[in-house]
Amino acid sequence: MSTRRLRSEDYNDYSSTDVTPEGSPPGGMNGFAHPESYQRFGETNGTTWYQTLIHLLKGNIGTGLLGLPLAVKNAGILLGPLSLVVMGVVAVHCMGILVKCAHHFCYRFQKQFVDYGGAVMYGLESTPSAWLRTHAVWGRRVVGLFLIITQLGFCCVYFVFLADNLKQVISAANGTTNDCNSNRTVAMTPTMDSRLYMLSLLPFVVLLTFIQNLKVLSIFSMLANVAMLGSLVVIYQYIVRDIPDPSDLPLAAAWKTYPLFFGTAIFAFEGIGVVLPLENKMKNPRQFPVILYVGMTIVTILYISLSVLGYLRFRADIQASITLNLPNCWLYQAVKLLFSFGIFFTYAVQFYVPAEIVIPPLVARVSERWGWLVNLLLRVALVSVTCVLAILIPRLDIVISLVGSVSSSALALIFPPLLEIATYYAEGMHPLVIAKDIAISLFGFVGFVVGTYEALVELAAPAAAVVNTTSTMVQ
């Protein structure tokens, strides 16, 4: 795909309507517009519904899923799953709000496409406040900043995950057996630091991000999905066996650890950054609402089942990624490698969004002759930044919680409800809708503040207090 912004006027995607530009699309506050009254046309060489579903699943199923068992431990065996259900429903609802508001402004201004930042900017321009209308452009800038932080934060997590799993596989290589049923402690073979694994992965990740076409990426996404699906099947069949009596597990954990649960959970559910770009690239964008709800239902079921079963199986020994708890035999070592293969290609999907925000404006400043070189150099620089940040904070659980609390909560929970109020307030909104939106935003803001604080406290803990999860492994 070209590195042009997806919102550009010459992009071959448009919306047609049958009312005046000042009006709202039919359906208005009731959700997505009705197909018979609102029609979006995609480009002829766009992605199919199946390819879009692949990308949606790929953008949501990753390291966040594998970290959820530890999150449930931080919340409690009862409070954790209930909180996941609530957060899943709210997160998907906010995705729907974003798509609805984007449609509204496409309809109102006869735009071909409105991205997340553009929707917030137009929303602020629609408010009764003169100050907000004057500074509406900052809405786009703030959203763009949080999108960059969030998506690059995901990429940092991927570096840590890949390094941790590769290090464990290599460290245990000499003690790896074909017997997956034995129970013995295996001493790990000394190997290089996980930070060196991150540096070793850097050139391969850079080459991956040079692929800029979503249709090409869908091929790798499909392979990654197959690898991750196979890995999940093997993980499930292991954790459902020999589950201890859960009666002694706390229904609700200590309140101080709940913010860490919040950060991990919202990290897992924050796929809102890829929603509008995926819809825009579809051959038939009218199918996207169904794809969104079907895809996120699958994601939510996976999240809840794996998190609960994983915590029940490993209890207090659960690690930052459930793959690190798997036995030291070739079958489960292969699972770690297969899931790492999937996460590797997920990096390209998550990297796509910040690349489309940062790179095109900078490429536009140079001549066409040098544009391709500047494009590649900027991609190298962005990937290198994520690698350096991962090296600086090599604790997987804390990185996940910190990224989730700092930026994912803003994009997934705080901004969309406020955008709905800004978009439709002048047209009249039911007080209950306003109250609902304010409640969701306040929930996200409290999680943002408290979750960030607790993650930073954990990060500042003395190194001696941090357990080295790759030094030994019980199988």
Side-chain angles (χ1 to χ4, degrees), residues 210-456:
F210 286 170
I211 302 174
Q212 303 171 41
N213 188 301
L214 272 180
K215 292 194 70 175
V216 175
L217 283 178
S218 69
I219 300 174
F220 294 105
S221 292
M222 182 176 64
L223 295 175
N225 275 356
V226 171
M228 293 169 69
L229 178 61
S231 301
L232 285 174
V233 170
V234 178
I235 292 174
Y236 270 104
Q237 66 83 28
Y238 178 74
I239 61 179
V240 297
R241 296 181 295 168
D242 304 322
I243 294 180
D245 182 8
S247 59
D248 60 333
L249 294 177
L251 297 180
W255 68 269
K256 289 197 69 174
T257 59
Y258 190 83
L260 297 177
F261 162 85
F262 173 87
T264 304
I266 198 59
F267 174 92
F269 276 112
E270 201 290 296
I272 199 168
V274 299
V275 167
L276 290 181
L278 289 180
E279 186 214 21
N280 185 51
K281 284 301 297 177
M282 288 189 67
K283 287 182 180 179
N284 185 6
R286 294 167 60 187
Q287 298 176 331
F288 186 76
V290 176
I291 294 173
L292 175 63
Y293 292 125
V294 170
M296 293 308 298
T297 298
I298 296 173
V299 168
T300 303
I301 292 173
L302 280 175
Y303 283 1
I304 295 173
S305 61
L306 186 69
S307 61
V308 172
L309 292 173
Y311 179 46
L312 289 176
R313 177 65 175 82
F314 297 112
R315 305 166 75 85
D317 294 326
I318 189 67
Q319 297 191 34
S321 169
I322 195 173
T323 55
L324 300 176
N325 286 98
L326 296 178
N328 185 41
C329 68
W330 285 114
L331 173 62
Y332 297 110
Q333 298 294 65
V335 165
K336 297 172 190 176
L337 294 177
L338 276 176
F339 216 102
S340 297
F341 173 83
I343 293 299
F344 176 76
F345 286 109
T346 303
Y347 187 105
V349 178
Q350 298 292 359
F351 183 82
Y352 180 86
V353 174
E356 287 297 313
I357 295 175
V358 174
I359 294 176
L362 298 177
V363 171
R365 295 175 178 269
V366 301
S367 64
E368 186 175 351
R369 176 183 177 184
W370 298 104
W372 67 273
L373 180 59
V374 173
N375 180 5
L376 297 183
L377 290 177
L378 288 172
R379 290 176 181 274
V380 172
L382 284 176
V383 175
S384 299
V385 167
T386 64
C387 182
V388 170
L389 291 176
I391 289 174
L392 293 175
I393 312 175
R395 285 189 60 189
L396 183 60
D397 55 336
I398 300 303
V399 175
I400 289 177
S401 184
L402 187 61
V403 172
S405 298
V406 170
S407 52
S408 299
S409 58
L411 292 173
L413 299 178
I414 300 176
F415 293 161
L418 297 180
L419 172 61
E420 184 176 36
I421 295 175
T423 302
Y424 295 105
Y425 184 81
E427 301 179 12
M429 295 180 66
H430 195 284
L432 290 179
V433 177
I434 297 177
K436 177 265 297 180
D437 288 340
I438 293 176
I440 293 176
S441 289
L442 286 177
F443 172 67
F445 181 75
V446 171
F448 163 78
V449 174
V450 180
T452 301
Y453 172 79
E454 288 297 330
L456 291 176

Side-chain angles (χ1 to χ4, degrees), residues 74-320:
N74 289 328
I77 191 61
L78 177 62
L79 182 59
L82 291 178
S83 299
L84 280 177
V85 172
V86 172
M87 293 185 69
V89 171
V90 173
V92 176
H93 175 67
C94 289
M95 291 179 184
I97 289 176
L98 176 60
V99 174
K100 179 183 66 176
C101 292
H103 285 181
H104 173 89
F105 292 117
C106 284
Y107 190 94
R108 180 177 177 183
F109 299 113
Q110 295 295 291
K111 291 284 186 179
Q112 298 169 344
F113 176 71
V114 174
D115 59 12
Y116 197 161
V120 172
M121 182 181 71
Y122 292 135
L124 293 177
E125 290 176 351
S126 303
T127 61
S129 171
W131 188 89
L132 289 177
R133 292 196 302 270
T134 303
H135 298 84
V137 68
W138 280 99
R140 176 188 293 281
R141 294 170 182 171
V142 170
V143 169
L145 176 62
F146 275 98
L147 278 172
I148 293 171
I149 294 174
T150 300
Q151 303 300 126
L152 293 183
F154 289 169
C155 295
C156 293
V157 171
Y158 296 159
F159 265 112
V160 180
F161 175 87
L162 291 170
D164 282 353
N165 280 269
L166 288 176
K167 179 179 180 180
Q168 191 182 76
V169 170
I170 294 174
S171 298
N174 291 337
T176 301
T177 68
N178 294 322
D179 182 8
C180 296
N181 297 316
S182 62
N183 292 306
R184 60 189 177 86
T185 300
V186 176
M188 296 297 187
T189 302
T191 184
M192 61 183 182
D193 189 272
S194 61
R195 297 172 177 85
L196 295 179
Y197 281 95
M198 297 180 199
L199 287 176
S200 302
L201 290 166
L202 180 59
F204 302 99
V205 177
V206 167
L207 292 176
L208 178 66
T209 59
F210 286 170
I211 302 174
Q212 303 171 41
N213 188 301
L214 272 180
K215 292 194 70 175
V216 175
L217 283 178
S218 69
I219 300 174
F220 294 105
S221 292
M222 182 176 64
L223 295 175
N225 275 356
V226 171
M228 293 169 69
L229 178 61
S231 301
L232 285 174
V233 170
V234 178
I235 292 174
Y236 270 104
Q237 66 83 28
Y238 178 74
I239 61 179
V240 297
R241 296 181 295 168
D242 304 322
I243 294 180
D245 182 8
S247 59
D248 60 333
L249 294 177
L251 297 180
W255 68 269
K256 289 197 69 174
T257 59
Y258 190 83
L260 297 177
F261 162 85
F262 173 87
T264 304
I266 198 59
F267 174 92
F269 276 112
E270 201 290 296
I272 199 168
V274 299
V275 167
L276 290 181
L278 289 180
E279 186 214 21
N280 185 51
K281 284 301 297 177
M282 288 189 67
K283 287 182 180 179
N284 185 6
R286 294 167 60 187
Q287 298 176 331
F288 186 76
V290 176
I291 294 173
L292 175 63
Y293 292 125
V294 170
M296 293 308 298
T297 298
I298 296 173
V299 168
T300 303
I301 292 173
L302 280 175
Y303 283 1
I304 295 173
S305 61
L306 186 69
S307 61
V308 172
L309 292 173
Y311 179 46
L312 289 176
R313 177 65 175 82
F314 297 112
R315 305 166 75 85
D317 294 326
I318 189 67
Q319 297 191 34

